[in-house]
Amino acid sequence: MTDSVGSKGASAPFSFVCLPTRRDDFLLGRAVSAYKAGRWAEAALYAETVCRRTPRSDIAALLRAKVLEACSPSRAAVAWYAAWRAAPANPLLQDGLLQAWVAAGKRDAAARLGPVFLPERCRSGTHAGLLTLLRAAGLATFGACWKQGEDIEGMVFAEAGAGPTRRLLVSDGTRQQVFDVPANGQRFRIPWRAAAGVWSLALAPDAAGDSVTAGQILQGSPLSFVPAPVTVEAGASKPATGAIKAQGHAALGIVIPVYGQLELVSRCIDSVLASLPHNRCSAEVIVVDDASPDPALRKWLDRKAVSGRIRLLRNPFNLGFIGACNRGIAAVPGDVLLLNADALVHGDWLDRLSAVLNSADDIASVTPWSNNGEISSLPDIGAAAPALDAAQLARVDGIVAAVREAGLTTEHELPTCCGFAMLMRRQVVDEIGGLDDVDLLRGYNEEVDWCLRARRAGYRHLLASGVFVAHSGTASFGDEKVLRVVQNKAVLAARYPDHEMEYARFLRDDPLDAMRKVILERLRQAGADWYADRDEDASLPDALGEPEKSDVSESAPPSAACWIAVRLEPDDAVGYSKTLQLARLIASRPAEGGTPFALLCLGLGTEALWRSRVVNVLPPEPDAPQCVIPDSLLSTLLRCTTVLASPSSPVRGWEEIVRLDERFDPAAWLAARHSGASLSPA
C-alpha cells in the first residue's frame, strides 16, 4: 500500500484509509520500510503499535527487537525476550534471545534456557547457530535426546580436547544400561523396542575418571516408552491402556513431587503434616524426590522419612514432573491428592475436599480456591495474587469454610481442575490411566489432559468452594515453562479442539463471580483481604531486570515527520473535536517542503482520527513486564517534546504542554508553527 495524497497537496506521513482489519499489515509494512531506511524512531513506533494491538504478533515483536538493537541497545534483551515469548519454538527468535542475553552479560540466563531448545533443533538439523551461542554462554559439554519411533536418538557435544566418545547411563529408576556414544555431535541411535518404561539419559564419568558433567541429564530426557493413556468414552467398560495400578498401604495418598527449593518444600510438607491431626480421613504423605541436585533438601527429606512422617520415593535419575507424579500415583491404593511443593494447607482441608469428591459417584476430581489457581483463583479469575503466609492462610481458609457452611457458596462444575492441589478419585485413575508423560513434555497442562479424558468418560470436576489452599506459583522450570506450555497446548488442541474456546468462555463469563464477591466481602470485613496492597506491576523476569540506562542513539536520521503527542481522556468531547480539527488541517496542508506534522495519540483515539491520515493511535501501555517500549522512550526516539492534553489529563515531563480546552484554536496554533502560514479547515 502506498501513501495517500491529500486533495489539497502533500503526501501524508502515513495513511489509514485501509480497513481496520488490515491496519496491522499496513503498519508492519511501514515499519519495515522505515527500518530499511534507517528511520529507527518511526520503525519503533509502527512495530510497537502492532505489538500492543496484537500481542502475539511474532513478526512485529521480532522487528521491534531489531529496531531497539539499533537505537536503544539497553532494551534489546527485553525486546528479544518479548519476541521469543510470542513464538517460543521459532529458532530465529530463540537464537536472537540468547544472543541478546550473551551481549548483555546475562550468560547464566542463556546457559539455563539455551539447552532447552536443543532436542528439537538437533532433530531438525537447525542447531549449528545454537551450539555457537551455548559455547558463548559458557557451556562446555551438553547433549540432547529424543524418541525416534521405538528407538532413542541423540547427540552429545563434548568440550574441546575430550575423547571421541562419552558414556551414557540410561535408567528407569530400577534398571540401568550403559552405552558409549559419539561425543562430537554425531547423531547416535539406540534400539529400544522392548524396553518399556520412563527412561532418563545422563552422562557418566568420562574415560579419564570423574567429570564435572557426570550425572548431567540430556535435554529431552526422560523419554517414555509406555502406551499413552487413551480416552474412555462414557459407558465403556474396558480400562484405558496405560492405566496405573496402585501399590501401597494407605486409603488416601498426598503425592508431593519435589526437586529443589528447600524452603518452599519444607514449608509445604510441614503444613501438610501439621494438618493431619485435624482431619478424620486417613492419609499418607508420599514425597517423590525427582533426583534433586540439592544435598540440603535430600538430607531434610531423609530425616522426615526416618522419622516415619513421610514415605519417600527417590528417583536415582530425573524422570520429570509428570513421571514423578505418576510414580506417586502408583503408590496410592485409594484416592490421590496431587499437591505442588510450593503450596500451603490448613486445618481439616482433606475432610472438606473428600466430602466434595464423595458427594456423587460421577465426580472425578475437585480443586480448592487459591491465590494462584487459574479459574479457581481469588480475588480475580485467571490471575495470580500475592502468596499468603501461614497466619494469613489460617484466617482466609477459615472464612472460606465458614461462608460455605452458611450456605452462601456451593460447589460448581469446572471444565478442568488445577493441578496445584487436585484430589482424584482412584476409580477414575484405574479406568482412564494416570497423567500423560508420553506426549506431554516435562510438565504443564498434564492435569488438563487428565480432566478432559475423565469428562469424555462421563465424569465431572468440581470446585470445592469451602476450601482455600495457598500456592506460591514458583516456576520450577523458569523460562522453560513458556516453551513447554506452547508445546503441550498444541497436543491438547489436537485432542480436544473445543477446549480452548470453552475455557475462554468460562474466563469471560466467570460463573464463580457471585461466590467470589461474597467471599471477598467477608474477607474485607474481617480485615483478611491479604491482596489489598498488592503491586499491580509485575517485575521483569530475573534474567532481564530493568535496563541500567535509557540509551538512545543519536546517529539515526531524523523522523520523516515532526511528531506532536496527544493525550485524551475518555469523556473529553472538546479535546477529541479539537484534535480532529487539527488533524484535518495537517492533512490538507499544501506541499511546500519542510517536515510534515503528525500526531501521536497516546492511549486513546477514534476511527476518525485514524482515518485522518496523519494520526497514529498508540494503544495504552501494557503492564510490566509486557511493556517493551514505554511511551516516554517512544517520545524520546521520535524527538516529540510537545503534548496536547485534555484539561484533566495528568501529564508531566514534556517541554511544552498545551491544554485542549475551548480556548485552543487549532488553525492559529498550527499557523504559529508554520512561520505564520494561514491555514483553514479542510
Side-chain angles (χ1 to χ4, degrees), residues 550-573:
S550 181
D551 57 339
V552 175
S553 173
E554 297 293 337
S555 62
S559 170
C562 177
W563 290 91
I564 302 165
V566 180
R567 178 83 70 177
L568 294 169
E569 295 300 313
D571 56 351
D572 183 11

Side-chain angles (χ1 to χ4, degrees), residues 1 21 48 76 88 134 139 144 164 252 275 281 300 338 343 384 425 431 449 516 539 585 589 615:
M1 183 179 292
T21 53
E48 176 67 13
L134 293 180
L139 295 180
L252 185 152
S275 74
C281 64
W300 188 88
L338 291 180
R425 187 184 294 274
E431 182 178 336
D449 174 75
R516 278 192 178 86
S539 60
L585 286 168
R589 176 189 172 199
V615 177

Side-chain angles (χ1 to χ4, degrees), residues 34-228:
Y35 178 73
K36 289 180 177 179
R39 296 196 303 272
W40 298 327
E42 290 174 313
L45 168 61
Y46 301 138
E48 176 67 13
T49 302
V50 176
C51 287
R52 294 191 191 183
R53 283 167 52 89
T54 314
R56 294 186 179 181
S57 174
D58 54 324
I59 297 175
L62 168 62
L63 181 58
R64 178 176 61 183
K66 297 295 291 183
V67 171
L68 287 180
E69 281 184 344
C71 65
S72 185
S74 68
R75 293 204 70 85
V78 177
W80 275 111
Y81 183 77
W84 170 71
R85 288 180 64 93
N90 186 323
L92 179 63
L93 299 180
Q94 292 172 354
D95 289 354
L97 171 62
L98 297 180
Q99 186 172 11
W101 276 356
V102 170
K106 305 179 188 299
R107 296 168 73 240
D108 289 346
R112 286 193 302 270
L113 181 61
V116 173
F117 307 144
L118 264 176
E120 186 54 40
R121 299 284 294 274
C122 289
R123 191 173 189 173
S124 62
T126 60
H127 58 285
L130 177 59
L131 297 183
T132 301
L133 291 166
L134 293 180
R135 300 291 190 202
L139 295 180
T141 298
F142 45 86
C145 61
W146 56 90
K147 290 172 60 177
Q148 184 62 41
E150 297 181 355
D151 295 340
I152 294 175
E153 285 192 353
M155 295 181 180
V156 172
F157 306 91
E159 57 189 318
T165 63
R166 276 302 296 264
R167 183 151 292 182
L168 199 63
L169 303 179
V170 186
S171 170
D172 69 349
T174 60
R175 297 167 290 172
Q176 182 172 289
Q177 298 189 44
V178 180
F179 300 90
D180 289 325
V181 299
N184 61 354
Q186 179 182 343
R187 185 176 299 202
F188 63 81
R189 173 175 284 199
I190 302 173
W192 212 249
R193 289 171 177 77
V198 181
W199 296 86
S200 184
L201 281 71
L203 296 175
D206 57 23
D210 198 9
S211 169
V212 293
T213 58
Q216 175 180 307
I217 301 294
L218 266 61
Q219 287 293 328
S221 177
L223 301 175
S224 180
F225 287 86
V226 297

Side-chain angles (χ1 to χ4, degrees), residues 28 33 42 182 252 328 444 518:
L28 275 177
S33 297
E42 290 174 313
L252 185 152
Y444 304 108
V518 171

Side-chain angles (χ1 to χ4, degrees), residues 15 74 79 131 136 148 183 197 234 242 248 254 292 408 437 452 499 553 633 670:
S15 170
S74 68
L131 297 183
Q148 184 62 41
I254 304 169
S292 171
L408 300 177
D437 57 359
L452 293 176
H499 168 65
S553 173
L633 174 59
L670 188 61

